[in-house]
Amino acid sequence: MLVVMQAHATEEQVRAVCQKIESLGYRAHAMPGATRTAIGITGNQAEIEQGTLDEMAGVQEVIRVSKPYKLVSRDVKEENTVIKFAGTQATIGGKNLAIIAGPCAIESREQAFAVAERVHRAGAQFFRGGAYKPRTSPYSFQGLAEDGLRIMAEIREQFGMKIITEAIDNESLALVEEYADVIQIGARNMQNFSLLKRVGRAKKPVMVKRGLSATLEEFFMAAEYVMSEGNYNVVLCERGVRTFADHTRNTLDLSIVPAVQRLSHLPIVVDPSHGTGKRNKVTPLSRASVAVGADGLIVEVHNQPDKALSDGMQSLYPEQFDELMVQVRQIAAVVGREIVPIGTVASLSSSVETPPDTRMATLR
Amino acid sequence: MLVVMQAHATEEQVRAVCQKIESLGYRAHAMPGATRTAIGITGNQAEIEQGTLDEMAGVQEVIRVSKPYKLVSRDVKEENTVIKFAGTQATIGGKNLAIIAGPCAIESREQAFAVAERVHRAGAQFFRGGAYKPRTSPYSFQGLAEDGLRIMAEIREQFGMKIITEAIDNESLALVEEYADVIQIGARNMQNFSLLKRVGRAKKPVMVKRGLSATLEEFFMAAEYVMSEGNYNVVLCERGVRTFADHTRNTLDLSIVPAVQRLSHLPIVVDPSHGTGKRNKVTPLSRASVAVGADGLIVEVHNQPDKALSDGMQSLYPEQFDELMVQVRQIAAVVGREIVPIGTVASLSSSVETPPDTRMATLR
Amino acid sequence: MLVVMQAHATEEQVRAVCQKIESLGYRAHAMPGATRTAIGITGNQAEIEQGTLDEMAGVQEVIRVSKPYKLVSRDVKEENTVIKFAGTQATIGGKNLAIIAGPCAIESREQAFAVAERVHRAGAQFFRGGAYKPRTSPYSFQGLAEDGLRIMAEIREQFGMKIITEAIDNESLALVEEYADVIQIGARNMQNFSLLKRVGRAKKPVMVKRGLSATLEEFFMAAEYVMSEGNYNVVLCERGVRTFADHTRNTLDLSIVPAVQRLSHLPIVVDPSHGTGKRNKVTPLSRASVAVGADGLIVEVHNQPDKALSDGMQSLYPEQFDELMVQVRQIAAVVGREIVPIGTVASLSSSVETPPDTRMATLR
Amino acid sequence: MLVVMQAHATEEQVRAVCQKIESLGYRAHAMPGATRTAIGITGNQAEIEQGTLDEMAGVQEVIRVSKPYKLVSRDVKEENTVIKFAGTQATIGGKNLAIIAGPCAIESREQAFAVAERVHRAGAQFFRGGAYKPRTSPYSFQGLAEDGLRIMAEIREQFGMKIITEAIDNESLALVEEYADVIQIGARNMQNFSLLKRVGRAKKPVMVKRGLSATLEEFFMAAEYVMSEGNYNVVLCERGVRTFADHTRNTLDLSIVPAVQRLSHLPIVVDPSHGTGKRNKVTPLSRASVAVGADGLIVEVHNQPDKALSDGMQSLYPEQFDELMVQVRQIAAVVGREIVPIGTVASLSSSVETPPDTRMATLR
């Protein structure tokens, strides 16, 4: 259920409706929009009896949402969610095209800095790297754990890039939440509901990767799990699904980008590295991802792909990433996007305003 | 790597080889067989240098295993793994056909006992029921938690059936390990490697359900994760995979049963309830599962399917389960299996021996 | 639309209704049942106006069928279709379990006879073999064409087995119709609608194999194409679908057997050879196919699989087929089926009656 | 096998090698390139004995091709195949981005002309429309047949657009070959090998659409069938594959575009209409298709989508197609493509030269 407040409803009225909802044993999620506030109602039991909320002060309409996802839906929040970060105008969602790059795994300080220096110079605003690696074999390299997180924190300090890294369980999540700017939930954990709930109580934005055989609705429900606990800063990530096709490791499903944007206010980025599993496909599919309207890219780059401890075959050489950025910038311009530099902290201090989403006007 | 000991090797020799392996920074897994012991070697780094173990007393051969799964493989253990339980000859693996039945979720003491009474009477040896439910929606019934476990413990006490139930995270695992006889890892957690490692340190057998898009190798690697931590009592469970086909909820892949039995010593059971998602398909697919050679069945039964809090559409009515058992017993007989009654505790106390696996002789 | 005639309706009344339907620009398909006749109405345009047929003599009811398939549906014909052959009680559909065996391709007279002698001795009633092979490569062996058909005709003469072979286009169909007892339409041609229509005008029964990615409805629609042209003797054949799973060549979808039997009156057989693509999986999946309720099996057998010109890896050795038949007979007995010998022509001449379908009574 | 001729080899030498190959019972396919000619050798039997051709005049090298596809491969022809049409510089392949648009089916002269006028004005160079429709139901509209072809011929005359339409069997192929500029083979016929061979003897270019579950290799083999009969003017078309995903009718697999371009010299276009099945996804996926590097688009446009006899839900309104063209032109410019107008017949007569393929230089 969803309560749409009147345009002129006061904060007090919103609070009163929320309290009423909570008093009935449900949970209220106030989502302020540009012109009015909507209040999502979630909870285990049957729906709130008709008439209970309709007559309260400031309430315009009570809508029954028939889709299983509620907080994810554009019905609840019409404007695109734009995730902002302290000290930069680079956002995820909005006019900025978010560029997330880095190695699959943090292997050493030297390797991580070598990659970071290159991707930063090419224009990446976010640095990715795994400190905890969910590997199919228990005998494979499992990541540097907290040492890896510390290296990434140093990289943030030196280059200004925001850090995104994966949490694989409650233990790693506690540390990732401490060190990172965005917490990644991997494809194999997309239906680890216990972890989703826990990350829903974290204070950092969350990027949820689509499971290998997840439908759009299941993808949304994973985000709903996070949001139902109160963390509304969720980014979705398409990273390829499993099909019979064998010319790529996975089949990158770009049609999910407009599908997500139609039904949800959440931003969605694309991972062409896992999505194809092949170095020579990453750049063309990056162009396609931006052209289809994605809110960002997450790309694997390694200084020595042939010696990478994981996923070397799909990691770009730094010079390939340079070339990718040249091409992607041109496509971005066509679809009304720009790649805001991360490192302009000083110049921004005077005006930290939300960049207007002009994309819809140009291409949708 | 794998060390095959000589037939007459002493326990001391086995121990010495294990100590040598551990001293080199690896992990040794001694797997006693009918005629000889094999020692699996696992670990993160490169292989042990040639010649290091070959000359030790009692060692017959050192084999390099090229498959990514090691402890799961028949190369390491030729005889079928047979999982035994205190006080009964009903096993999982071996000549017995394991019959696991019960409701999707434990909803109340009344419901659970009503179902338990019926499935026990029909011949089920194991009682299934969810106390922790991994639901796609955060707003759906999530299970009775420890209350549900307590109800199942009572059912074990009253009917003698062994209890199998799912753990969804470390917290629930601690309790499930305490109450249950078999710990279930659900399909959506098949690649929750953190949970797999943790359950590998549990003292109870583990049933790992195949993920919705898991290949055979990934399925084996999930079991390998559990075994690599020292818990060798693993049962695999086929429960349908996700395909384009829409006449069933999932596509039950029965060909994986002979594929598993060819490459691995682990038992495999089939879940035709989740595998089809439709009540009217459960009995024919149960017949097929037994005919193909499965080591057991796991079937959802509910006393009032239409009022079930989860998965009602695929739950059998108790009388349908009665009929299923009649048919399955006949097929079992043809493939050299029998359904050992669970409740003959007294009569068994004198001779708790491994039932010989005569199946291979008759049908494979 | 569907006209259900009264139990005592005369042939003349049936004919009058059919003529009325045809006069309105539609096509009438009279389907006599055990107690009454149903008349399926098909055609391109909108439905016949209400009231036009209801009042005609002998008409009991006019039913609007909302499913896209009409003649295939049990709504039109409640009793199972049983396909009979001159001079034998072996049927496809009904109590008999149809056993179809032979090499993938007819390679030579010697090879074909060697295989035929063995499968006949083991109990096969139908001999399969390709004279026209749809090969993925234009440079592969394409079959012996009419020479292959002649060899199969000789085999029928010598052993009494009925012949089933594939037609791949109109040219081959003309010859296959002349020589064979059942015309096979291959999986890759399941949506070759032009060929389906042409085979719908043939005078021989047709076996339609499921396409590699066909849904149940598409499978039915392929049969509907054949039936819409007046050929009602259609057998469906499950032969595996394409999924991500890589332990078998295709994923055999046994759940489609009860799904077909629930919605349609047509018989369905299973092809575990193409369905798995691996020799060691054929026998267990044959057992499962019979157990699930299939109306027959189609199995590849070769006297020298290692030298086969096509599909050698999935062809059984003759002695493996002997063993398969031993096992399958036992399962058949449990599900109320029997394997009627083909070669009892003389003894049958006195009583060629339809074998009663007792299957439903026992296991469904 | 493949014979690479020397750069200065004479036509006579090429002819002599071809004659030698044919005399040995094989088929020779001379493929002239920019600097040298390659001769593909195909045929049923074992390979030509080593040394037979190596010493002939003008031969530089004899290469054994291990892939199952030969004529399709870049090994045989390094330069991109560019398909040209009389009286226009609009090509399929090369620098031009081919724009193919029109209704799913030709329904009437009025409808066809209404759509043609609009897509021509927006810049389409090729007009598509079905005269023979492969419909899943025998009771659905099956196309206007030759009447439809005649309407398309009139459209060519009036607007200058080249005509592309589907042949579904040998009968329709004879007529389509007569009227159309490009013969389309539909997805459901991608493995109708008989039809592929027949179209391989046609004198018009052929567009082969990818089957719903075709791997890249199978897709190539379909083209190989056509080319093995001597028709080298083949265009591939990605139109979505069947997966579990349900937010679109099919899953458009854009990664196949760079995969095709890496291994083959054939052009590949993308059909976002069938690839998504939803009107609102066509434009974003068209942008993505051009960005990924496709050689063209094939888009369904209808003047009254809501009244379309087939596929109305995925057909664009004319004004949506106008907007699509605006966006696509911008993306095309970024990837080094341009959309050459079709109707500049007069101005071209003086210089009909191959447009240089500068694409590789810019973006690959």
Side-chain angles (χ1 to χ4, degrees):
Chain A
M1 285 177 92
L2 176 65
V3 180
V4 181
M5 300 300 288
Q6 292 165 349
H8 59 265
T10 63
E11 275 192 35
E12 204 161 320
Q13 287 172 336
V14 172
R15 212 175 313 121
V17 174
C18 289
Q19 280 165 358
K20 177 73 179 170
I21 292 164
E22 306 266 357
S23 78
L24 293 164
Y26 296 86
R27 216 165 149 177
H29 304 262
M31 318 277 274
T35 58
R36 65 186 75 242
T37 291
I39 304 170
I41 305 175
T42 62
N44 222 347
Q45 298 105 321
E47 300 228 311
I48 291 175
E49 212 179 326
Q50 210 156 359
T52 313
L53 303 170
D54 304 65
E55 302 305 316
M56 288 186 72
V59 169
Q60 182 175 290
E61 207 183 350
V62 177
I63 298 169
R64 261 138 249 280
V65 183
S66 62
K67 294 167 198 143
Y69 47 91
K70 318 228 179 268
L71 306 175
V72 162
S73 171
R74 272 208 195 274
D75 293 346
V76 169
K77 179 162 176 287
E78 213 184 323
E79 300 85 18
N80 288 340
T81 286
V82 177
I83 298 174
K84 298 172 197 167
F85 298 90
T88 177
Q89 278 196 1
T91 56
I92 305 181
K95 189 175 167 64
N96 178 56
L97 183 75
I99 303 293
I100 308 163
C104 181
I106 301 297
E107 299 169 16
S108 70
R109 202 176 175 285
E110 290 63 37
Q111 171 249 17
F113 268 76
V115 177
E117 195 275 329
R118 292 298 302 262
V119 300
H120 175 256
R121 201 202 303 165
Q125 308 136 332
F126 299 85
F127 185 72
R128 61 149 292 160
Y132 301 91
K133 300 302 302 172
R135 304 298 298 273
T136 46
S137 167
Y139 315 126
S140 298
F141 174 61
Q142 310 267 323
L144 294 183
E146 195 171 358
D147 286 347
L149 296 175
R150 272 191 217 105
I151 292 168
M152 282 189 278
E154 281 187 64
I155 283 171
R156 174 175 45 209
E157 203 155 319
Q158 173 142 357
F159 299 102
M161 290 186 289
K162 301 297 177 186
I163 298 302
I164 173 163
T165 193
E166 180 168 354
I168 57 171
D169 52 20
N170 289 354
E171 291 71 44
S172 56
L173 177 52
L175 284 164
V176 166
E177 189 182 356
E178 188 187 326
Y179 285 94
D181 300 292
V182 180
I183 304 164
Q184 177 178 319
I185 299 298
R188 287 170 184 78
N189 277 320
M190 194 205 82
Q191 295 196 316
N192 180 343
F193 302 119
S194 180
L195 185 62
L196 293 173
K197 275 190 201 165
R198 171 62 187 78
V199 85
R201 293 189 295 271
K203 301 297 174 220
K204 296 280 177 68
V206 178
M207 184 175 83
V208 179
K209 298 191 94 172
R210 183 180 180 190
L212 273 77
S213 57
T215 62
L216 176 58
E217 191 174 300
E218 290 170 343
F219 196 14
F220 278 159
M221 293 312 292
E224 186 83 15
Y225 256 98
V226 178
M227 297 177 80
S228 73
E229 296 288 332
N231 187 345
Y232 304 143
N233 286 314
V234 177
V235 184
L236 300 171
C237 177
E238 160 66 23
R239 44 80 72 215
V241 290
R242 184 160 279 178
T243 72
F244 66 88
D246 54 6
H247 60 278
T248 41
R249 201 168 75 166
N250 296 292
T251 298
L252 193 66
D253 177 14
L254 289 184
S255 71
I256 208 167
V257 172
V260 162
Q261 291 171 338
R262 191 179 172 79
L263 298 169
S264 173
H265 52 87
L266 295 176
I268 177 164
V269 301
V270 176
D271 175 349
S273 303
H274 287 88
T276 65
K278 294 196 175 172
R279 188 178 300 141
N280 63 61
K281 307 278 182 296
V282 172
T283 298
L285 271 304
S286 292
R287 292 196 308 261
S289 300
V290 176
V292 90
D295 294 295
L297 294 174
I298 174 163
V299 178
E300 282 188 13
V301 181
H302 198 284
N303 54 333
Q304 294 175 302
D306 299 335
K307 297 188 181 161
L309 294 183
S310 60
D311 283 346
M313 266 182 45
Q314 71 194 32
S315 293
L316 294 186
Y317 286 87
E319 49 271 39
Q320 290 177 313
F321 182 68
D322 291 345
E323 174 60 19
L324 177 151
M325 288 295 287
V326 168
Q327 298 184 17
V328 153
R329 272 180 211 279
Q330 298 178 53
I331 305 276
V334 172
V335 295
R337 298 273 197 177
E338 58 177 318
I339 302 175
V340 177
I342 188 73
T344 51
V345 182
S347 64
L348 286 178
S349 55
S350 48
S351 72
V352 186
E353 238 169 276
T354 312
D357 185 357
T358 60
R359 181 172 32 124
M360 304 282 291
T362 52
L363 276 189
R364 262 191 270 161
Chain B
M1 284 178 95
L2 176 64
V3 180
V4 181
M5 300 299 289
Q6 291 166 349
H8 58 264
T10 62
E11 275 192 37
E12 203 163 319
Q13 287 172 337
V14 171
R15 213 175 314 120
V17 173
C18 289
Q19 281 165 357
K20 177 73 180 171
I21 291 164
E22 307 265 357
S23 77
L24 293 165
Y26 295 85
R27 211 160 154 179
H29 303 261
M31 316 279 272
T35 58
R36 67 185 74 240
T37 290
I39 303 169
I41 305 175
T42 62
N44 221 346
Q45 299 103 322
E47 300 228 311
I48 291 176
E49 211 181 327
Q50 209 159 0
T52 314
L53 303 169
D54 303 67
E55 300 305 318
M56 289 186 72
V59 170
Q60 182 175 290
E61 207 182 349
V62 177
I63 298 170
R64 260 141 250 279
V65 182
S66 61
K67 292 168 199 143
Y69 47 90
K70 321 238 177 254
L71 307 175
V72 162
S73 171
R74 271 208 195 275
D75 294 345
V76 169
K77 180 161 176 287
E78 211 184 323
E79 299 87 17
N80 288 340
T81 287
V82 178
I83 298 174
K84 298 172 197 167
F85 298 88
T88 177
Q89 278 196 1
T91 56
I92 304 181
K95 190 175 166 64
N96 179 56
L97 183 74
I99 304 292
I100 308 164
C104 180
I106 301 297
E107 299 168 16
S108 69
R109 203 177 175 283
E110 291 62 40
Q111 170 250 17
F113 269 76
V115 177
E117 195 277 328
R118 292 297 302 264
V119 301
H120 176 255
R121 202 203 300 165
Q125 309 137 331
F126 299 85
F127 185 72
R128 61 148 293 157
Y132 301 92
K133 300 301 303 172
R135 304 299 297 275
T136 45
S137 168
Y139 316 125
S140 298
F141 174 62
Q142 309 267 323
L144 294 183
E146 193 170 2
D147 286 348
L149 296 175
R150 273 192 214 102
I151 292 167
M152 282 190 277
E154 282 186 63
I155 283 171
R156 174 174 47 209
E157 203 154 321
Q158 172 141 355
F159 299 102
M161 291 187 289
K162 300 298 178 186
I163 298 304
I164 173 164
T165 193
E166 181 168 353
I168 57 171
D169 51 21
N170 288 355
E171 293 69 43
S172 57
L173 177 52
L175 284 164
V176 167
E177 189 181 356
E178 189 186 326
Y179 285 94
D181 300 292
V182 179
I183 303 163
Q184 178 179 318
I185 300 297
R188 286 170 185 77
N189 277 319
M190 195 204 84
Q191 295 197 315
N192 180 341
F193 302 120
S194 180
L195 186 61
L196 293 172
K197 276 190 199 165
R198 171 63 188 78
V199 86
R201 294 189 294 271
K203 301 297 175 221
K204 296 281 177 67
V206 178
M207 185 174 84
V208 179
K209 298 192 95 172
R210 183 181 181 189
L212 273 78
S213 58
T215 62
L216 177 57
E217 191 174 298
E218 290 170 341
F219 197 14
F220 278 161
M221 292 314 292
E224 185 83 16
Y225 255 98
V226 179
M227 298 177 80
S228 74
E229 296 287 331
N231 188 344
Y232 305 142
N233 286 315
V234 177
V235 184
L236 300 171
C237 176
E238 161 65 23
R239 45 79 73 215
V241 290
R242 184 159 279 178
T243 73
F244 66 88
D246 54 5
H247 59 279
T248 42
R249 200 168 73 166
N250 296 293
T251 298
L252 194 65
D253 177 14
L254 290 183
S255 71
I256 208 167
V257 172
V260 162
Q261 291 171 338
R262 190 180 172 80
L263 297 169
S264 173
H265 52 88
L266 295 176
I268 177 163
V269 302
V270 176
D271 174 348
S273 303
H274 287 88
T276 65
K278 293 196 175 173
R279 189 178 298 140
N280 63 61
K281 307 279 182 296
V282 173
T283 298
L285 272 304
S286 292
R287 294 196 307 261
S289 300
V290 176
V292 89
D295 294 295
L297 294 174
I298 174 162
V299 177
E300 283 189 12
V301 181
H302 198 283
N303 54 334
Q304 293 175 303
D306 299 335
K307 297 187 183 163
L309 293 183
S310 60
D311 282 346
M313 268 184 43
Q314 71 194 32
S315 293
L316 294 186
Y317 286 86
E319 47 272 37
Q320 290 177 312
F321 183 67
D322 292 346
E323 174 60 20
L324 178 152
M325 287 297 286
V326 168
Q327 297 184 16
V328 153
R329 273 180 210 280
Q330 296 177 53
I331 305 277
V334 171
V335 295
R337 299 273 195 175
E338 60 177 319
I339 301 175
V340 177
I342 190 74
T344 52
V345 181
S347 64
L348 286 179
S349 55
S350 49
S351 72
V352 186
E353 236 170 278
T354 313
D357 183 357
T358 60
R359 181 174 33 126
M360 304 282 291
T362 52
L363 274 188
R364 262 190 270 163
Chain C
M1 283 179 95
L2 176 65
V3 180
V4 181
M5 300 299 289
Q6 291 165 349
H8 58 264
T10 63
E11 276 193 33
E12 204 161 319
Q13 288 172 335
V14 171
R15 213 175 313 122
V17 173
C18 289
Q19 281 165 359
K20 177 73 180 169
I21 291 164
E22 306 265 357
S23 78
L24 293 166
Y26 296 85
R27 215 164 150 179
H29 304 261
M31 318 277 275
T35 58
R36 66 186 76 241
T37 291
I39 304 170
I41 305 175
T42 62
N44 221 347
Q45 299 104 319
E47 301 228 309
I48 291 174
E49 211 179 328
Q50 210 157 1
T52 314
L53 303 170
D54 305 65
E55 301 305 317
M56 290 185 71
V59 169
Q60 182 175 289
E61 206 183 350
V62 177
I63 298 168
R64 262 140 250 280
V65 182
S66 61
K67 293 167 198 144
Y69 48 90
K70 320 233 177 262
L71 308 174
V72 162
S73 171
R74 272 208 194 276
D75 293 346
V76 169
K77 180 162 176 288
E78 212 184 322
E79 301 86 19
N80 289 340
T81 286
V82 178
I83 298 174
K84 298 171 196 168
F85 299 89
T88 177
Q89 278 195 2
T91 57
I92 305 182
K95 189 175 166 64
N96 179 56
L97 183 75
I99 303 292
I100 308 163
C104 180
I106 302 296
E107 298 168 17
S108 70
R109 203 177 175 284
E110 291 63 37
Q111 170 249 18
F113 268 76
V115 177
E117 195 275 329
R118 293 297 302 263
V119 300
H120 176 255
R121 202 202 300 164
Q125 308 138 332
F126 299 85
F127 185 72
R128 60 148 293 157
Y132 301 91
K133 298 304 301 172
R135 303 299 297 274
T136 45
S137 168
Y139 314 127
S140 298
F141 176 60
Q142 309 268 323
L144 293 184
E146 194 170 1
D147 285 348
L149 296 175
R150 274 193 214 102
I151 292 168
M152 281 190 278
E154 282 187 63
I155 282 172
R156 174 174 47 209
E157 204 154 319
Q158 174 141 352
F159 299 103
M161 289 187 289
K162 301 298 179 186
I163 298 303
I164 172 163
T165 192
E166 181 168 353
I168 57 171
D169 50 22
N170 289 354
E171 293 70 44
S172 57
L173 176 53
L175 284 164
V176 166
E177 188 182 358
E178 189 186 326
Y179 284 95
D181 300 293
V182 179
I183 304 164
Q184 177 178 318
I185 299 298
R188 286 170 185 77
N189 277 319
M190 195 205 83
Q191 294 196 316
N192 180 342
F193 302 119
S194 180
L195 185 62
L196 292 173
K197 276 190 199 166
R198 170 64 188 79
V199 86
R201 294 188 295 271
K203 300 299 175 218
K204 298 281 176 66
V206 177
M207 184 175 84
V208 179
K209 298 192 93 172
R210 183 180 181 191
L212 273 78
S213 57
T215 61
L216 176 57
E217 191 174 299
E218 290 171 342
F219 197 13
F220 278 160
M221 292 313 292
E224 185 83 16
Y225 255 98
V226 179
M227 298 178 79
S228 74
E229 296 288 331
N231 188 344
Y232 305 143
N233 286 315
V234 176
V235 184
L236 300 171
C237 177
E238 160 66 23
R239 44 81 70 215
V241 291
R242 184 159 279 176
T243 72
F244 67 87
D246 55 4
H247 60 279
T248 42
R249 201 168 73 165
N250 296 292
T251 298
L252 194 66
D253 177 13
L254 289 183
S255 71
I256 207 167
V257 172
V260 162
Q261 291 171 339
R262 190 178 172 81
L263 298 169
S264 173
H265 52 88
L266 295 176
I268 177 163
V269 302
V270 176
D271 175 348
S273 302
H274 287 88
T276 65
K278 293 196 176 172
R279 189 177 299 141
N280 63 61
K281 307 278 182 296
V282 173
T283 298
L285 272 304
S286 292
R287 295 196 306 261
S289 301
V290 176
V292 90
D295 294 295
L297 294 174
I298 175 162
V299 177
E300 283 189 12
V301 181
H302 198 284
N303 53 336
Q304 293 175 303
D306 298 335
K307 297 188 182 161
L309 293 183
S310 59
D311 282 346
M313 266 183 43
Q314 71 195 32
S315 293
L316 294 186
Y317 286 87
E319 47 273 36
Q320 291 178 311
F321 183 67
D322 292 346
E323 174 60 19
L324 177 152
M325 288 296 286
V326 169
Q327 297 183 18
V328 153
R329 272 180 211 280
Q330 297 177 55
I331 304 276
V334 172
V335 294
R337 299 274 195 175
E338 60 176 318
I339 301 175
V340 177
I342 189 73
T344 52
V345 182
S347 64
L348 286 179
S349 55
S350 48
S351 71
V352 187
E353 238 170 275
T354 313
D357 183 359
T358 60
R359 181 176 31 125
M360 304 282 290
T362 53
L363 274 188
R364 260 189 272 161
Chain D
M1 284 178 94
L2 175 64
V3 180
V4 180
M5 300 300 288
Q6 291 165 348
H8 58 264
T10 64
E11 276 192 34
E12 204 163 318
Q13 287 172 336
V14 171
R15 213 176 312 120
V17 174
C18 288
Q19 281 166 357
K20 177 72 180 171
I21 292 163
E22 306 266 357
S23 77
L24 293 165
Y26 296 85
R27 210 160 154 182
H29 303 261
M31 317 280 272
T35 57
R36 66 186 76 240
T37 291
I39 304 169
I41 305 175
T42 62
N44 222 347
Q45 299 104 320
E47 300 228 310
I48 291 176
E49 211 180 327
Q50 209 158 0
T52 313
L53 303 170
D54 304 65
E55 301 305 317
M56 289 186 73
V59 170
Q60 182 177 291
E61 208 183 349
V62 178
I63 299 169
R64 262 139 250 280
V65 182
S66 61
K67 293 168 197 142
Y69 48 90
K70 322 242 176 248
L71 307 175
V72 162
S73 171
R74 272 208 195 274
D75 294 345
V76 169
K77 178 161 177 288
E78 212 184 323
E79 299 85 19
N80 288 340
T81 287
V82 178
I83 298 175
K84 298 171 197 167
F85 299 89
T88 178
Q89 278 196 2
T91 56
I92 305 181
K95 188 175 167 63
N96 179 55
L97 182 76
I99 303 293
I100 308 163
C104 180
I106 302 297
E107 298 169 17
S108 70
R109 201 176 176 285
E110 289 62 39
Q111 170 249 16
F113 267 76
V115 177
E117 195 275 330
R118 292 299 301 264
V119 300
H120 175 256
R121 201 202 302 165
Q125 309 136 333
F126 299 85
F127 185 72
R128 61 148 292 156
Y132 301 91
K133 299 302 303 172
R135 304 299 297 273
T136 45
S137 167
Y139 314 127
S140 299
F141 174 61
Q142 309 267 323
L144 294 182
E146 193 171 359
D147 286 348
L149 296 175
R150 272 192 216 103
I151 292 167
M152 281 189 279
E154 282 186 63
I155 283 171
R156 174 175 44 209
E157 204 155 319
Q158 172 142 356
F159 299 102
M161 289 187 289
K162 302 297 177 185
I163 298 302
I164 173 162
T165 192
E166 181 169 354
I168 58 172
D169 52 20
N170 289 353
E171 293 69 45
S172 57
L173 177 52
L175 284 164
V176 166
E177 188 182 357
E178 191 187 324
Y179 286 92
D181 300 293
V182 179
I183 304 164
Q184 177 178 320
I185 299 299
R188 286 169 184 78
N189 277 319
M190 195 204 83
Q191 294 196 316
N192 180 341
F193 302 118
S194 181
L195 185 61
L196 292 174
K197 276 190 200 165
R198 170 65 187 78
V199 86
R201 293 189 295 271
K203 301 297 174 221
K204 296 280 177 67
V206 178
M207 185 176 82
V208 180
K209 297 191 94 172
R210 184 181 181 189
L212 274 76
S213 59
T215 62
L216 176 58
E217 191 173 299
E218 290 170 342
F219 196 13
F220 277 160
M221 292 311 293
E224 185 82 15
Y225 255 99
V226 179
M227 297 177 81
S228 73
E229 296 287 332
N231 189 345
Y232 305 142
N233 286 314
V234 176
V235 184
L236 300 171
C237 177
E238 161 66 22
R239 45 79 71 215
V241 292
R242 184 159 280 177
T243 72
F244 66 88
D246 54 6
H247 60 280
T248 42
R249 200 168 77 166
N250 296 292
T251 298
L252 193 66
D253 177 13
L254 289 184
S255 70
I256 207 167
V257 172
V260 162
Q261 291 171 337
R262 190 179 172 79
L263 298 169
S264 173
H265 52 87
L266 295 176
I268 177 163
V269 302
V270 175
D271 175 347
S273 303
H274 287 88
T276 65
K278 293 197 175 171
R279 188 177 301 141
N280 63 61
K281 307 278 182 296
V282 173
T283 298
L285 272 304
S286 293
R287 293 195 307 259
S289 300
V290 177
V292 90
D295 294 295
L297 294 174
I298 175 163
V299 177
E300 283 188 12
V301 181
H302 198 285
N303 54 333
Q304 293 175 302
D306 298 336
K307 297 188 181 161
L309 294 182
S310 58
D311 283 346
M313 267 183 45
Q314 71 195 31
S315 293
L316 294 186
Y317 286 87
E319 47 273 38
Q320 290 177 312
F321 183 68
D322 292 344
E323 173 61 18
L324 178 152
M325 288 296 287
V326 168
Q327 297 184 16
V328 153
R329 273 181 210 279
Q330 297 178 53
I331 305 275
V334 172
V335 295
R337 299 273 196 176
E338 60 178 317
I339 301 175
V340 176
I342 189 73
T344 52
V345 182
S347 63
L348 286 178
S349 55
S350 48
S351 72
V352 186
E353 238 170 274
T354 314
D357 183 357
T358 59
R359 180 173 32 124
M360 304 282 291
T362 53
L363 275 189
R364 263 192 271 163

